[in-house]
Amino acid sequence: MPSWIGAVILPLSGLLLSLPAGAEVKARSCGEVRQAYGAKGFSLADIPYQEIAGEHLRICPQEYTCCTTEMEDKLSQQSKLEFENLVEETSHFVRTTFVSRHKKFDEFFRELLENAEKSLNDMFVRTYGMLYMQNSEVFQDLFTELKRYYTGGNVNLEEMLNDFWARLLERMFQLINPQYHFSEDYLECVSKYTDQLKPFGDVPRKLKIQVTRAFIAARTFVQGLTVGREVANRVSKVSPTPGCIRALMKMLYCPYCRGLPAVRPCSNYCLNVMKGCLANQADLDTEWNLFIDAMLLVAERLEGPFNIESVMDPIDVKISEAIMNMQENSMQVSAKVFQGCGQPKPAPALRSARSAPENFNTRFRPYNPEERPTTAAGTSLDRLVTDIKEKLKLSKKVWSALPYTICKDESVTAGTSNQEDCWNGHSKARYLPEIMNDGLTNQINNPEVDVDITRPDTFIRQQIMALRVMTNKLKNAYNGNDVNFQDTSDESSGSGSGSGCMDDVCPTEFEFVTTEAPAVDPDRREVESSAARLGHSLLWWSVVCVVLALQRLGR
């Protein structure tokens, strides 16, 4: 070729590149992208002023681009962080529900136990004075074990309550028979007659059923709140796979590389990306919904026959009623014990009598129900349960709903109303592929995310198993069975923490508590008459106190 031809062609090629009419020839400005990229906090040193060839891109379309390799890497990491934050923010409601309600229920139950113990102590100090204070560890141990059970201790409620009544019988049997000396073996024989003699009337049987079932329901419900809290916290902290990160980058920031930073993803496109990235989380939904249903069932129990507030609130009056039954039947009880265990040895002779301490002669002041401590934690169980039931219902299907919640957010996508001027993964146009169904197995044909459906997330599977175990415990609690001890007693016996007796089969077990408000509790109506009987028995106790005091002086 003659040299003059080359001399003409080279200037012409430079001229063609500078022509303004050649939009496809002249590189476009990256000004908008630079502004948006800098707003993210990145250095503008990485970004060109005009589009460059895109052969170096690994995720975004390899066309003319505003992205360098460094930009694609940084925006890929940015998309990962934003996705993790989106999932955490979207699941914020369910996480705070379980965190805050667990704290409130736990505070309520603990304060309820403290109030019940204080109420019993105050009442018994005024009623029985020194007699109670000398034997107060029996009652203190009862509340210690109840608290230990509630906080997860390995306590068999039925055995613990049986032991409480046996110990109380031993102490009272010595008080009503101060003229005799009882050995440890003899007292052990006395305790064996507890069930046969029924010295405390029907109070121990009824109270055992009420306490065991109420505590099983309360403890299991709080444990359920703990499990829900832990699962929600763990699942909301996702670790996206490499395939997910690629899809997120392509959806969120490839528009930057194409010079379209203001164009947001199509909502249907977003759904396929999120369903692929959150496929394992969606598989949690089935077990999560069963767990929520079981929590709602136990919540109903807390309102009705398992209401721990209506059980613990009058427990001092109940135990006092049992003591009065023992007083009134003391002669018959003693005669039967002597017949079964043998005649005890007389106590050592008493010395000359001295006057009893003044507090033994103090006149009994009837217990005023208004003096009972205020409701625990500044609320009531009914209010707590009503609130948590509403929140639990709203948290159903939360994990399968995550993609929809995220993709309807117009700060993330172009919105459902804009299906044309949105980013479809390649350009600004309608997204055509069909939306995938929920769950891992349904992602086999996901056009946006490379999902290995043969390898379920082991971490999510662990959470599914935790929910399954907790759901079984909740179902046991709903039926009145303690999962830790349900095999330790005959389920046909209809009593204790191992009872398999249902409400409609054994209605007499719930004579004390009803599904109505605690104010109409039939046993609460007996408080006044119980207090009157206590007053009549004061003189009898005073005599016993005098005899005991003289007995100690004689020793």
Side-chain angles (χ1 to χ4, degrees):
M1 182 176 64
S3 60
W4 65 270
I5 296 176
V8 172
I9 290 175
L10 288 174
L12 284 175
S13 62
L15 179 63
L16 288 171
L17 286 174
S18 64
L19 291 175
E24 295 300 321
V25 178
K26 182 182 179 181
R28 289 181 297 182
S29 169
C30 293
E32 288 185 30
V33 179
R34 288 177 63 85
Q35 185 177 357
Y37 188 72
K40 294 287 182 182
F42 295 117
S43 170
L44 295 181
D46 297 331
I47 185 169
Y49 285 93
Q50 291 182 319
E51 288 184 331
I52 58 175
E55 291 87 352
H56 59 280
L57 298 178
R58 291 167 300 196
I59 299 175
C60 297
Q62 293 183 332
E63 302 173 10
Y64 276 94
T65 182
C66 286
C67 283
T68 61
T69 300
E70 293 77 10
M71 286 178 64
E72 193 178 40
D73 289 341
K74 289 180 179 179
L75 289 173
S76 182
Q77 284 300 310
Q78 180 69 16
S79 64
K80 174 180 178 292
L81 292 173
E82 289 184 9
F83 169 70
E84 291 171 347
N85 290 335
L86 277 172
V87 174
E88 199 159 354
E89 289 171 9
T90 307
S91 60
H92 179 262
F93 166 77
V94 68
R95 288 186 291 111
T96 54
T97 291
F98 280 90
V99 169
S100 61
R101 270 55 186 185
H102 173 270
K103 181 180 179 182
K104 198 67 178 176
F105 269 89
D106 184 59
E107 178 187 3
F108 178 85
F109 289 136
R110 288 174 185 269
E111 193 168 318
L112 183 68
L113 291 177
E114 293 291 339
N115 287 352
E117 183 174 14
K118 183 178 184 301
S119 178
L120 183 143
N121 184 73
D122 293 346
M123 177 183 179
F124 278 32
V125 165
R126 286 197 299 271
T127 305
Y128 303 117
M130 190 61 68
L131 272 178
Y132 164 70
M133 288 185 278
Q134 291 171 345
N135 297 279
S136 61
E137 75 277 3
V138 176
F139 305 92
Q140 291 169 357
D141 291 347
L142 168 66
F143 283 97
T144 297
E145 289 299 287
L146 288 175
K147 292 172 189 174
R148 193 163 74 88
Y149 172 84
Y150 169 73
T151 55
N154 188 24
V155 178
N156 186 318
L157 286 174
E158 182 177 347
E159 292 180 1
M160 183 272 291
L161 289 168
N162 288 341
D163 182 62
F164 165 73
W165 292 112
R167 289 179 65 193
L168 188 58
L169 174 60
E170 290 179 9
R171 298 294 181 94
M172 288 198 63
F173 192 77
Q174 295 177 81
L175 291 175
I176 63 176
N177 294 285
Q179 69 275 30
Y180 295 109
H181 171 72
F182 300 102
S183 65
E184 291 296 326
D185 291 340
Y186 195 98
L187 291 175
E188 186 176 344
C189 177
V190 172
S191 65
K192 291 179 180 178
Y193 280 81
T194 306
D195 291 336
Q196 179 182 339
L197 296 175
K198 296 188 183 302
F200 300 109
D202 203 33
V203 174
R205 184 192 71 85
K206 292 169 65 176
L207 201 57
K208 181 165 63 176
I209 294 167
Q210 295 150 10
V211 168
T212 53
R213 295 199 164 193
F215 270 78
I216 289 167
R219 180 172 85 162
T220 309
F221 190 76
V222 171
Q223 287 178 345
L225 291 173
T226 302
V227 169
R229 178 191 67 190
E230 295 303 315
V231 169
N233 282 336
R234 290 167 182 164
V235 175
S236 64
K237 289 177 172 55
V238 294
S239 297
T241 63
C244 172
I245 295 172
R246 287 180 61 87
L248 291 168
M249 169 61 194
K250 187 177 178 183
M251 181 184 81
L252 295 173
Y253 287 113
C254 281
Y256 279 51
C257 296
R258 293 289 291 135
L260 303 169
V263 179
R264 299 191 184 280
C266 302
S267 59
N268 288 350
Y269 173 36
C270 173
L271 281 175
N272 274 344
V273 172
M274 291 302 161
K275 287 196 175 195
C277 289
L278 297 170
N280 284 282
Q281 280 76 5
D283 283 348
L284 188 76
D285 231 31
T286 299
E287 204 62 52
W288 176 267
N289 293 339
L290 292 173
F291 162 71
I292 295 297
D293 287 339
M295 286 288 289
L296 289 169
L297 285 174
V298 177
E300 291 177 3
R301 290 300 203 195
L302 292 175
E303 291 178 309
F306 290 83
N307 189 324
I308 191 173
E309 189 174 24
S310 65
V311 171
M312 293 306 296
D313 191 47
I315 195 170
D316 49 3
V317 177
K318 289 293 177 185
I319 295 175
S320 184
E321 178 186 344
I323 291 173
M324 288 188 293
N325 288 332
M326 177 72 176
Q327 292 178 39
E328 294 177 354
N329 299 313
S330 59
M331 294 183 64
Q332 299 93 312
V333 169
S334 296
K336 290 181 180 179
V337 169
F338 294 160
Q339 183 179 359
C341 298
Q343 190 69 23
K345 297 179 181 179
L350 300 179
R351 295 181 181 176
S352 58
R354 292 186 182 179
S355 60
E358 289 185 7
N359 63 325
F360 285 172
N361 296 320
T362 303
R363 186 171 180 78
F364 170 65
R365 182 169 63 85
Y367 189 75
N368 184 356
E370 295 179 358
E371 296 173 7
R372 189 173 298 282
T374 56
T375 310
T379 185
S380 70
L381 187 58
D382 288 340
R383 285 197 292 272
L384 283 176
V385 171
T386 299
D387 170 69
I388 191 63
K389 283 168 64 177
E390 294 175 358
K391 299 297 190 298
L392 288 174
K393 290 174 184 176
L394 292 174
S395 69
K396 290 191 71 173
K397 299 183 179 179
V398 65
W399 305 112
S400 61
L402 277 179
Y404 299 91
T405 307
I406 291 172
C407 293
K408 75 179 180 181
D409 185 347
E410 294 192 1
S411 67
V412 178
T413 68
T416 55
S417 60
N418 184 1
Q419 298 293 334
E420 300 293 339
D421 297 328
C422 55
W423 175 253
N424 65 7
H426 302 280
S427 62
K428 185 170 74 168
R430 175 179 285 271
Y431 182 76
L432 298 177
E434 65 174 331
I435 300 173
M436 298 293 100
N437 290 324
D438 301 326
L440 185 64
T441 57
N442 289 316
Q443 307 311 309
I444 187 170
N445 294 318
N446 192 311
E448 308 305 335
V449 187
D450 182 16
V451 182
D452 186 354
I453 66 169
T454 65
R455 299 183 63 183
D457 189 311
T458 54
F459 180 75
I460 295 295
R461 265 50 197 177
Q462 290 172 357
Q463 308 314 308
I464 289 174
M465 184 55 65
L467 289 172
R468 190 169 295 160
V469 170
M470 192 65 241
T471 299
N472 287 333
K473 289 190 71 174
L474 289 162
K475 289 178 178 177
N476 273 293
Y478 176 75
N479 291 323
N481 299 325
D482 192 333
V483 70
N484 296 325
F485 302 110
Q486 59 185 352
D487 298 323
T488 60
S489 63
D490 182 4
E491 290 191 351
S492 63
S493 65
S495 64
S497 57
S499 171
C501 212
M502 298 295 290
D503 298 359
D504 53 347
V505 179
C506 305
T508 55
E509 292 184 354
F510 302 109
E511 293 172 344
F512 167 57
V513 283
T514 69
T515 56
E516 298 176 355
V520 296
D521 179 356
D523 286 299
R524 172 57 71 185
R525 295 171 187 153
E526 299 175 6
V527 172
E528 291 80 3
S529 60
S530 297
R533 292 167 64 197
L534 266 172
H536 291 311
S537 63
L538 178 65
L539 181 60
W540 184 90
W541 276 104
S542 297
V543 173
V544 171
C545 295
V546 172
V547 172
L548 284 174
L550 293 175
Q551 185 178 9
R552 291 191 184 92
L553 290 172
R555 291 175 183 173

